Amino acid sequence: MGAKTQRGARRRAVPWVVLGLWVVLLAVVVPFAGKTGDVQRDRAVDYLPANADSTQVARIQEQLPGGEATELVVVYHREGGLTAADKTTAQTQIDQIAGQHELVAPPEAVPSKSGDTLFYPVVSNEPGSDEKLRDALVGEVREVAEGGGGLSVDVGGPGALATDASEVYNALDGPLLYTTVAVVAILLILIYRSPLLWLVPLVVAGIADALSLGVTYGLHQAFDITVSGQSTGIMTVLVFGAGTDYALLLIARYREELRRQERPSDAMATALRGCGPAILASSGTVAAGMLCLLAADLNSSSGMGPTAAVGVLCALVAMTTLLPALLVLLGRRVFWPLIPAYGSQPKQRRSLFGAMGASVQRRPIAVLATSAAVLGALALGAFNLSGSVKQEDSFTKTPEAVRAMTTLAEAYPERSTQPVTVLAPTGEAAQVLDRAKGVDGVAAAEQGRSGDTWTEISVIAEDPPQSPGETATIEELRATLDGSLVGGPSAQQLDLDETNARDTKVVVPIVLVSVLLILIVLLRSLVAPLLLTAAVVAVWGAALGIGGLVFEPVFGFEGSDPGLPLISFVFLVALGVDYGIFLMHRMREEALKGMDTPEAALTALRTTGAVIASAGLVLAATFGVLMNMPLVQLVEMGFVIAVGVLLDTFLVRTYLVTSASMALGRKVWWPGPLSKKPQAAPERTEPLLTAGAP
């Protein structure tokens, strides 16, 4: 009895020790979490391909004399034509700006042929490379340059566009976090129907998010990984979504064990032994899938890989250590008013997922064929995805810099309003300038800044920015000007498209092989992993197809993010396999007990269906939060991943995987021992579901 008492005392002390360790860990990490915003960068080079010409141009430009200048354009426009008073107002405001700031040269007006628009180029060296000073300069210029009475005034140019984009990315953190927390809280309240229980996993998820930010800051300092507003925003969504999924699985098992064991500590230990391996395997699969993005050449994608993996692993650690400790310390009362008393029997009712599984069992081949046909038909919508979204169309609400760009494009159709930048070796600048002027599609070219190694040449194309004609001109410049680098916003977009296509060909096979190997090790089978992998790929195609059907006709988007196919593939494959592991692992457990495969599939669906459905709803809702963000890329990503998770949860897991397993029988475990072992089905029981389970 003494030994048992000592073991019980040690077990009761464990939660307090774990809680103390977390307090120490947070005291160390939280200060670094607050510094993540200081290393977050949303410049063009932080999103561009690492080795592309346009990326090298952007970096070299910063080193050229005047390369740290902030370039602005102040655009004045009146429908029907500018009046003399308008021109006087414009000149007065420009003179005031020149008097307040040290400009590279006095701004000169450039009127349009139609007479309804004029613009002034404003270039200042004051901010240098300081983004906060640049934003302050743009704000001060906008305070002076004001219209009224039918005269519109917009401040655009590269500097203003960078400021507007920075404001959008900086605004992601707060609204994204608050909205995600609110959505998860509402869903947890509905799932648990308890005034206290929902708060525990939510608080733990928030702590995991703080931990992930601190670790991300450390990785940046140690390995110089790219940290952007997009990657940290996605990480927050992933921490709350995946972390809540793990909490749902653990709490459901813990509630079940509380009815069987007297002490909460013993019940939690049993729950962790029961579902811990599945949680560990699923989180490891997601993290491995995310890390495959390191093979991408695109800076934003390669930086998102380790950041997302950190989020998943921090959620895993928090939900398997801190959450159990808090639940044990709070005891059974945390479940009030539906407290699982020791020795009690849960209310029993017919299981919805049991009934759905029974319908699949009657006609597995027909259900399998129908499910595959539905996914295939939906995937055809991907052909309706329009071309890459242009820079001016990438915001859901048009910022001032984009309005200025649009006005210039309409008022000056005879010239491009977005020059192509050519960097020529300084000793060959004159010859390169002459060759550039002779390239088809070039309207004008002039030499600009010059350094010891490189000289900048500004090329004006005959065609509008990011049009097929301008793209052809950029490609011709690159083919003609050997030894020179061609960059600028339009060249950056071209490089983004090409690099995303390259990354997709490289990363997709790596993700598939990595996930497949993990599943083979976990399930001791080859057929079952192939089935799960094929299912999640089908889900990705269907979700992308639905996006193609709604992005332009319903949402009004003028294009799609070129990185959407790759990023959505990585997330949907990794997260979809996550749920597949929960289902197939339970199916394998039942098969090991001697149950035949169809009955094992039905039992696995009945026992895990409700938890997976709850987890899928939470994960889809958290990614759906991205649809409220002001960037088209995030809206499209959130939509595709949320739709994919719902398809995976309610169609693929319930019907396709279950029907395929029933149709294959023991062959689903080939070539493992279960594929050869004769199985005798136990007596069938009425499908039941615990009333308190989510």
Side-chain angles (χ1 to χ4, degrees):
M1 292 295 292
K4 289 184 178 180
T5 302
Q6 289 178 356
R7 286 196 298 270
R10 286 197 298 268
R11 180 165 289 180
R12 288 192 294 272
V14 168
W16 290 107
V17 173
V18 172
L19 187 59
L21 291 174
W22 269 96
V23 170
V24 174
L25 179 62
L26 290 177
V28 174
V29 171
V30 167
F32 294 103
K35 294 182 179 181
T36 307
D38 298 335
V39 299
Q40 178 178 309
R41 295 290 181 266
D42 293 298
R43 303 169 304 168
V45 293
D46 299 313
Y47 287 83
L48 291 174
N51 301 314
D53 275 13
S54 59
T55 310
Q56 298 180 57
V57 168
R59 289 172 177 160
I60 294 171
Q61 278 184 302
E62 295 177 352
Q63 309 302 321
L64 290 176
E68 296 178 347
T70 297
E71 300 179 4
L72 305 176
V73 177
V74 184
V75 183
Y76 294 85
H77 175 78
R78 180 187 289 274
E79 292 292 339
L82 294 168
T83 65
D86 293 336
K87 297 176 183 178
T88 301
T89 298
Q91 190 61 56
T92 301
Q93 292 179 354
I94 295 299
D95 291 342
Q96 184 178 347
I97 292 170
Q100 293 176 348
H101 302 281
E102 183 179 345
L103 304 183
V104 173
E108 296 184 2
V110 181
S112 66
K113 292 181 179 179
S114 60
D116 59 1
T117 306
L118 64 83
F119 73 88
Y120 291 83
V122 176
V123 183
S124 172
N125 282 326
E126 286 179 1
S129 59
D130 192 307
E131 294 181 13
K132 293 182 178 179
L133 292 178
R134 177 205 66 199
D135 296 344
L137 170 66
V138 173
E140 291 169 6
V141 171
R142 284 174 170 170
E143 287 180 2
V144 174
E146 293 184 348
L151 175 66
S152 67
V153 185
D154 293 314
V155 178
L161 186 61
T163 293
D164 290 343
S166 178
E167 288 180 357
V168 169
Y169 281 111
N170 290 336
L172 290 179
D173 294 340
L176 184 60
L177 176 61
Y178 305 146
T179 309
T180 302
V181 170
V183 167
V184 173
I186 292 171
L187 289 174
L188 287 177
I189 291 172
L190 294 174
I191 290 170
Y192 287 131
R193 293 163 290 178
S194 168
L196 178 60
L197 181 58
W198 65 272
L199 191 58
V200 182
L202 191 64
V203 169
V204 175
I207 292 173
D209 185 48
L211 176 63
S212 64
L213 288 172
V215 175
T216 298
Y217 176 80
L219 288 177
H220 172 81
Q221 296 299 100
F223 303 104
D224 196 31
I225 66 168
T226 300
V227 180
S228 65
Q230 185 184 62
S231 62
T232 55
I234 295 297
M235 182 179 68
T236 293
V237 169
L238 201 54
V239 168
F240 277 89
T244 305
D245 281 3
Y246 304 149
L248 287 167
L249 197 67
L250 178 63
I251 292 175
R253 188 64 176 265
Y254 176 53
R255 185 202 299 264
E256 186 179 320
E257 295 300 330
L258 282 173
R259 299 183 185 276
R260 301 171 181 162
Q261 305 195 43
E262 185 176 1
R263 293 174 179 170
S265 57
D266 294 336
M268 181 57 72
T270 304
L272 282 171
R273 285 195 300 269
C275 65
I279 294 176
L280 181 62
S282 62
S283 60
T285 304
V286 176
M290 297 299 109
L291 287 175
C292 291
L293 284 172
L294 285 170
D297 187 47
L298 198 65
N299 283 333
S300 56
S301 296
S302 61
M304 186 184 295
T307 305
V310 163
V312 171
L313 295 178
C314 287
L316 168 70
V317 172
M319 293 303 172
T320 54
T321 58
L322 181 58
L323 177 63
L326 291 175
L327 289 173
V328 170
L329 291 174
L330 291 170
R332 299 175 188 272
R333 59 184 176 273
V334 75
F335 289 93
W336 186 87
L338 303 173
I339 299 176
Y342 172 59
S344 64
Q345 293 295 325
K347 291 183 179 180
Q348 296 180 347
R349 65 170 185 243
R350 293 187 63 85
S351 166
L352 171 63
F353 288 93
M356 296 169 72
S359 67
V360 174
Q361 192 176 28
R362 287 192 291 270
R363 298 180 182 86
I365 300 296
V367 171
L368 176 61
T370 302
S371 301
V374 169
L375 292 174
L378 291 174
L380 294 176
F383 292 105
N384 197 47
L385 286 171
S386 50
S388 299
V389 63
K390 295 182 180 180
Q391 191 177 41
E392 62 266 27
D393 298 324
S394 61
F395 302 90
T396 56
K397 296 180 180 178
T398 306
E400 183 174 338
V402 173
R403 290 201 306 269
M405 184 186 303
T406 303
T407 301
L408 289 174
E410 294 175 352
Y412 300 85
E414 74 281 359
R415 57 177 290 171
S416 173
T417 57
Q418 189 168 271
V420 177
T421 302
V422 175
L423 290 182
T426 297
E428 305 173 10
Q431 297 92 319
V432 172
L433 177 60
D434 289 339
R435 294 207 305 271
K437 291 179 178 178
V439 171
D440 290 340
V442 172
E446 61 181 14
Q447 183 173 321
R449 293 172 294 181
S450 181
D452 294 336
T453 307
W454 297 96
T455 294
E456 180 182 293
I457 296 174
S458 181
V459 176
I460 302 298
E462 295 176 348
D463 298 285
Q466 297 183 28
S467 64
E470 190 201 40
T471 298
T473 301
I474 293 172
E475 292 174 341
E476 183 65 22
L477 284 169
R478 287 178 168 173
T480 303
L481 307 179
D482 294 332
S484 299
L485 301 172
V486 179
S490 295
Q492 291 171 3
Q493 188 63 48
L494 177 61
D495 289 338
L496 281 173
D497 294 346
E498 293 178 350
T499 303
N500 274 302
R502 174 264 174 198
D503 286 350
T504 300
K505 295 177 182 177
V506 172
V507 176
V508 165
I510 296 176
V511 172
L512 290 176
V513 171
S514 301
V515 169
L516 193 59
L517 289 176
I518 293 174
L519 290 175
I520 290 172
V521 172
L522 179 67
L523 300 175
R524 274 82 162 174
S525 166
L526 182 59
V527 175
L530 287 172
L531 170 62
L532 289 180
T533 304
V536 292
V537 171
V539 166
W540 166 71
L544 206 60
I546 294 175
L549 296 175
V550 301
F551 285 160
E552 185 174 355
V554 179
F555 295 165
F557 296 156
E558 296 297 327
S560 59
D561 178 17
L564 178 64
L566 175 61
I567 298 299
S568 62
F569 178 86
V570 173
F571 275 88
L572 284 177
V573 168
L575 295 172
V577 166
D578 203 23
Y579 294 149
I581 288 174
F582 295 157
L583 181 69
M584 296 296 286
H585 191 266
R586 183 58 181 265
M587 191 189 305
R588 188 173 185 276
E589 284 184 6
E590 300 299 334
L592 286 172
K593 296 176 184 178
M595 191 176 289
D596 68 353
T597 301
E599 193 67 24
L602 182 60
T603 302
L605 180 62
R606 185 172 63 241
T607 54
T608 66
V611 177
I612 292 178
S614 299
L617 285 173
V618 170
L619 190 62
T622 52
F623 274 98
V625 170
L626 293 175
M627 296 176 62
N628 194 42
M629 297 298 104
L631 289 172
V632 168
Q633 293 90 330
L634 291 181
V635 174
E636 292 179 343
M637 184 190 306
F639 178 87
V640 170
I641 296 177
V643 168
V645 169
L646 293 176
L647 285 173
D648 189 85
T649 302
F650 295 102
L651 176 60
V652 171
R653 286 310 134 236
T654 306
Y655 291 107
L656 192 146
V657 172
T658 303
S659 62
S661 300
M662 291 179 176
L664 289 169
R666 290 200 306 269
K667 294 178 182 177
V668 77
W669 306 114
W670 185 88
L674 284 175
S675 64
K676 306 177 182 67
K677 178 181 177 181
Q679 299 166 333
E683 291 186 17
R684 294 186 59 175
T685 57
E686 186 70 16
L688 300 176
L689 177 67
T690 302

